[in-house]
Amino acid sequence: MGRPGVRTIAAVPTLSDLGQLPKRLLLGRAVRSDRAGESLLPKRLALPIFASDPLSSVAYATQEILIVLTLAGTAFLFLAPWLAIAVVLLLATVVLSYRQVVRAYPSGGGDYEVAFKNHGQFAGLTVASALLVDYVLTVAVSVAAGTDNIISAFPGLNQHRVLIAVGLVALLAAANLRGLRESGRTFALPTYLFITGILVMIVTGLVRDLFTDSPVVAETAGYTVTPEPGFEQLGGLALLFFALRAFASGCTALTGVEAIANGVPAFKPPKSRNAATTLALMGGIAAVLFSGVTALALAADVKYVEDACDLQGFADCDTEPQRTVIAQLAAATFGGDTSPLFFAIQAATALVLVLAANTAFNGFPLLGSVLAQDRFMPRQLHTRGDKLVYSNGILLLAGFAALLLFAFDADVNRLIQMYIVGVFTSFSIGQWGMVRHWNRQLQTTEDADARRRIRRSQAINTVGGSLTSVVLVIIVVTKFTRGAWLVLLVMPVLFLLMKAINRHYSHVAEQLVPDTDSRTLPSKVHAIVLVSKVHKPTLRALAFARATRPDVLTALTVNVDDAETRALQAQWEKYDIPVPLTVLESPYREITRPVLDFVKGIRRDSPRELVVVFVPQYVVGRWWENVLHNQSALRLRARLQFQPGVMITTVPWQLESSVGRDDDGRGGGPAPGDLRRGLTTDEAEATPYG
């Protein structure tokens, strides 16, 4: 039952729904709000949706370490295993830390909510700006890396790199707009195929290398690398900085870990437990894949450099793209670049890299919705679309990612320099926020077992916060001049933008608080009907105005031509219209200004008087007809809406071109369903509303 005095009317499908057919074909049927629970995810679908980013990053994390180490030739490749171990330990620490977050804050705000509640607005918005930037970069880097793997299998596509990448972003956005659960099924198979394929490749390659006489040898194993100037001899602090720079690049393996904390509401109950389990599975699989790919790359003697021409022996380095590390390993393990298994690995890798952007397509809209609810982003980001997903956030993310891919030529090496600054900013602030959260819990908890659990969680978050803070400093220092400066510039801009949006919403809310004057009835109502000619639209507007029974009714026209005005007055008397016609003189042939001055005069003489202006307007069916009609009405409405105490009522008059036109965009003629009801064309036109 509804509340007393409140009547609820169920929505009924209308003929205008036919106009949504193209949208339905692309995105599927709309989903009712009361079926939101049906879009929640079990762990088997949540894993590929939220963990595809960290799982797929193994396709380029090892590659990024090798790029930095080969700047000095091959002399320092011995550092790679130690750097990989450091990355795995950091990954394990961060995963353990985020398991505490999903249990303590299951509402889906992730680091933003943790920072906001424990450090305040400044820290919360800092995290939010970092995450928003990082989500855009996640899409750009993942799609660019996926494009690289497609080109590794089909080098002839290199010249279409940007077009392929932008097209993939568009397809990915469309898939997400179809709805979370359907996207989960779409992404599950490629992710699991990638995991299986990479594991098979690692095991096969390492078994061949350790136990057979035919070890895996990469196609670049025989190449030599020309050291970059200044990297020939490294020692002391220079060597330490060099190693830290390679470690920072390898930390791309941690991207996307926070997405599960931001997406806890999308899990099936028990939400926190399922999210924590999925997080642990993701961390374990990512660590195994990253370690295995790094070990196999070193065993196969893979060479991968920033500039292909630094590989001595690589022909046509100016035009031919390098094969990715995964492509080289697949070719070496499975018998060359014509092997079906090579193409299978490349297909799975390219798919999962492209679909890894789904982590951002889930995280960005959810975070945008939380920010919008807190009035730091436009309210439109909090609105769900037909498929119960945050459509506006998905479209916004796709647009920014496509722009970034276009600006940087879909080049992974250029894009990745800006990557992970935002990730570790949110990591660090979030973990220290959790430490403060546990401190408050200790102050209110007396049970000994509960206090031990809290202290264990606090210790985990303290270690996590310490490590991620150190890594953040390393990333900023080692990547600043190579592109990180741009992220550090954009983040404050986003921060200030969110503050400005919040100030606007707060200011508007203050102005809209009801007061005594808001409930006071106007002293009287003065209706004004704007008249240009005596015709049907004018007579309808007068009839509607009279039906409202105003205290005063004025028919108002503006004299811009004496002859036309005299003709109008004659027609007024001829039709014996029972409303006096008031004529405003306009020596400068203006229409808008005299009407405004007339309305202001009424309000000035009687501030409590409500002025209702009735504006007749033609309803036309063709776009070009709008250019020929309604221009004066549009200008008047635009100016009148800024006058306090004035209401504007548009009185539509449908012209023939609008008959039969509805939301489906059909022109004149029979309306949908007329023929089915047995109406002829003439009868349908005579009864346009059926």
Side-chain angles (χ1 to χ4, degrees), residues 85-235:
I85 291 172
V87 169
V88 169
L89 290 175
L90 180 63
L91 174 63
T93 303
V94 170
V95 167
L96 285 173
S97 299
Y98 271 99
R99 281 171 60 86
Q100 317 311 311
V101 175
V102 299
R103 290 190 175 111
Y105 293 93
S107 58
D111 285 321
Y112 164 72
E113 184 179 3
V114 172
F116 201 100
K117 289 186 175 179
N118 294 285
H119 292 307
Q121 185 185 99
F122 184 89
L125 293 186
T126 300
V127 168
S129 62
L131 286 174
L132 291 174
V133 171
D134 188 69
Y135 282 137
V136 175
L137 283 166
T138 295
V139 176
V141 170
S142 296
V143 169
T147 304
D148 265 358
N149 278 273
I150 293 172
I151 293 171
S152 292
F154 305 100
L157 297 175
N158 189 43
Q159 59 183 329
H160 305 297
R161 176 184 298 272
V162 176
L163 181 62
I164 293 171
V166 173
L168 290 172
V169 170
L171 287 173
L172 192 57
N176 276 270
L177 288 171
R178 286 193 65 88
L180 190 63
R181 187 177 180 87
E182 290 175 275
S183 294
R185 294 194 181 99
T186 303
F187 301 151
L189 183 60
T191 303
Y192 288 131
L193 285 177
F194 172 76
I195 294 171
T196 303
I198 296 299
L199 283 175
V200 170
M201 183 183 74
I202 291 169
V203 172
T204 302
L206 291 178
V207 167
R208 281 182 54 185
D209 192 73
L210 295 173
F211 302 108
T212 70
D213 295 330
S214 58
V216 174
V217 179
E219 61 188 44
T220 56
Y223 297 167
T224 57
V225 180
T226 303
E228 294 286 331
F231 288 91
E232 297 88 346
Q233 297 292 329
L234 292 174

Side-chain angles (χ1 to χ4, degrees), residues 47 115 178 300 353 402 610 616 658 664:
L47 180 64
R178 286 193 65 88
L353 277 165
L610 174 65
S658 67
D664 59 356

Side-chain angles (χ1 to χ4, degrees), residues 319-366:
T319 57
E320 291 295 319
Q322 295 181 82
R323 290 189 193 274
T324 63
V325 168
I326 293 294
Q328 293 188 46
L329 292 177
T333 302
F334 298 121
D337 57 8
T338 60
S339 167
L341 288 177
F342 165 79
F343 285 106
I345 292 292
Q346 287 309 105
T349 303
L351 271 175
V352 80
L353 277 165
V354 173
L355 300 181
N358 184 65
T359 300
F361 273 102
N362 282 274
F364 184 98
L366 282 171

Side-chain angles (χ1 to χ4, degrees), residues 99 120 178 383 398 477 481 548 619 632 640:
R99 281 171 60 86
R178 286 193 65 88
T383 304
V477 171
T481 59
T548 63
V619 178
S632 297
L640 286 169

Side-chain angles (χ1 to χ4, degrees), residues 543-585:
F544 285 2
R546 294 177 66 191
T548 63
R549 300 183 181 278
D551 298 283
V552 180
L553 176 57
T554 301
L556 190 68
T557 189
V558 179
N559 179 18
V560 295
D561 184 283
D562 288 336
E564 289 185 1
T565 301
R566 284 194 296 270
L568 174 62
Q569 289 173 319
Q571 281 189 304
W572 201 263
E573 294 177 0
K574 174 184 176 182
Y575 284 98
D576 193 24
I577 299 174
V579 178
L581 178 65
T582 301
V583 180
L584 300 178
E585 294 296 332

Side-chain angles (χ1 to χ4, degrees), residues 37 50 62 113 371 383 435 476 495 503 508 515 667:
F50 290 108
T62 298
E113 184 179 3
L371 288 169
T383 304
V435 173
V476 171
F495 179 95
R503 278 197 304 272
V508 170
D515 54 20

Side-chain angles (χ1 to χ4, degrees), residues 304-640:
Y304 196 90
V305 295
E306 188 171 0
D307 184 351
C309 290
D310 289 335
L311 280 177
Q312 300 302 310
F314 184 54
D316 301 323
C317 62
D318 291 325
T319 57
E320 291 295 319
Q322 295 181 82
R323 290 189 193 274
T324 63
V325 168
I326 293 294
Q328 293 188 46
L329 292 177
T333 302
F334 298 121
D337 57 8
T338 60
S339 167
L341 288 177
F342 165 79
F343 285 106
I345 292 292
Q346 287 309 105
T349 303
L351 271 175
V352 80
L353 277 165
V354 173
L355 300 181
N358 184 65
T359 300
F361 273 102
N362 282 274
F364 184 98
L366 282 171
L367 178 59
S369 171
V370 174
L371 288 169
Q373 190 172 19
D374 291 343
R375 301 193 298 186
F376 291 109
M377 279 289 179
R379 292 292 298 174
Q380 291 88 335
L381 293 179
H382 187 59
T383 304
R384 291 182 184 267
D386 285 351
K387 304 293 289 186
L388 294 179
V389 296
Y390 299 108
S391 305
N392 292 326
I394 291 171
L395 293 173
L396 191 65
L397 175 61
F400 280 122
L403 183 63
L404 205 57
L405 287 165
F406 181 80
F408 287 87
D409 298 321
D411 187 339
V412 177
N413 291 331
R414 295 171 62 190
L415 289 167
I416 212 160
Q417 304 306 324
M418 299 180 286
Y419 208 19
I420 71 174
V421 175
V423 173
F424 278 89
T425 299
S426 60
F427 280 177
S428 303
I429 297 176
Q431 294 311 307
W432 289 119
M434 287 300 299
V435 173
R436 179 170 289 188
H437 167 80
W438 297 126
N439 278 334
R440 288 207 302 268
Q441 292 290 309
L442 285 172
Q443 293 172 7
T444 59
T445 303
E446 297 181 358
D447 181 73
D449 292 336
R451 289 179 66 85
R452 277 196 297 271
R453 288 194 297 271
I454 292 172
R455 290 193 181 281
R456 182 173 66 249
S457 297
Q458 186 182 46
I460 292 172
N461 289 126
T462 300
V463 173
S466 301
L467 286 180
T468 54
S469 298
V470 171
V471 173
L472 176 61
V473 173
I474 293 171
I475 290 169
V476 171
V477 171
T478 59
K479 288 181 174 283
F480 183 82
T481 59
R482 300 180 62 80
W485 65 269
L486 185 59
V487 174
L488 295 173
L489 176 66
V490 172
M491 283 170 52
V493 172
L494 273 175
F495 179 95
L496 294 175
L497 178 63
M498 288 187 284
K499 289 280 289 184
I501 291 172
N502 182 256
R503 278 197 304 272
H504 169 77
Y505 279 135
S506 299
H507 185 55
V508 170
E510 290 173 2
Q511 297 178 69
L512 299 181
V513 174
D515 54 20
T516 304
D517 292 339
S518 304
R519 305 182 66 174
T520 302
L521 294 176
S523 59
K524 62 180 179 179
V525 177
H526 190 145
I528 299 173
V529 178
L530 300 181
V531 178
S532 60
K533 295 180 180 179
V534 178
H535 49 27
K536 291 179 180 179
T538 298
L539 297 178
R540 173 180 283 184
L542 282 169
F544 285 2
R546 294 177 66 191
T548 63
R549 300 183 181 278
D551 298 283
V552 180
L553 176 57
T554 301
L556 190 68
T557 189
V558 179
N559 179 18
V560 295
D561 184 283
D562 288 336
E564 289 185 1
T565 301
R566 284 194 296 270
L568 174 62
Q569 289 173 319
Q571 281 189 304
W572 201 263
E573 294 177 0
K574 174 184 176 182
Y575 284 98
D576 193 24
I577 299 174
V579 178
L581 178 65
T582 301
V583 180
L584 300 178
E585 294 296 332
S586 180
Y588 295 101
R589 298 162 304 283
E590 284 187 280
I591 295 177
T592 304
R593 174 55 59 186
V595 173
L596 283 174
D597 290 341
F598 184 81
V599 170
K600 287 179 180 178
I602 296 173
R603 290 285 301 162
R604 185 169 52 250
D605 296 339
S606 181
R608 287 189 55 203
E609 187 169 339
L610 174 65
V611 179
V612 183
V613 181
F614 289 82
V615 184
Q617 180 174 319
Y618 302 132
V619 178
V620 297
R622 304 178 182 92
W623 66 268
W624 54 266
E625 291 179 296
N626 282 303
V627 180
L628 305 177
H629 301 282
N630 300 323
Q631 299 308 306
S632 297
L634 288 172
R635 286 193 295 270
L636 273 168
R637 286 205 307 272
R639 298 292 297 276
L640 286 169

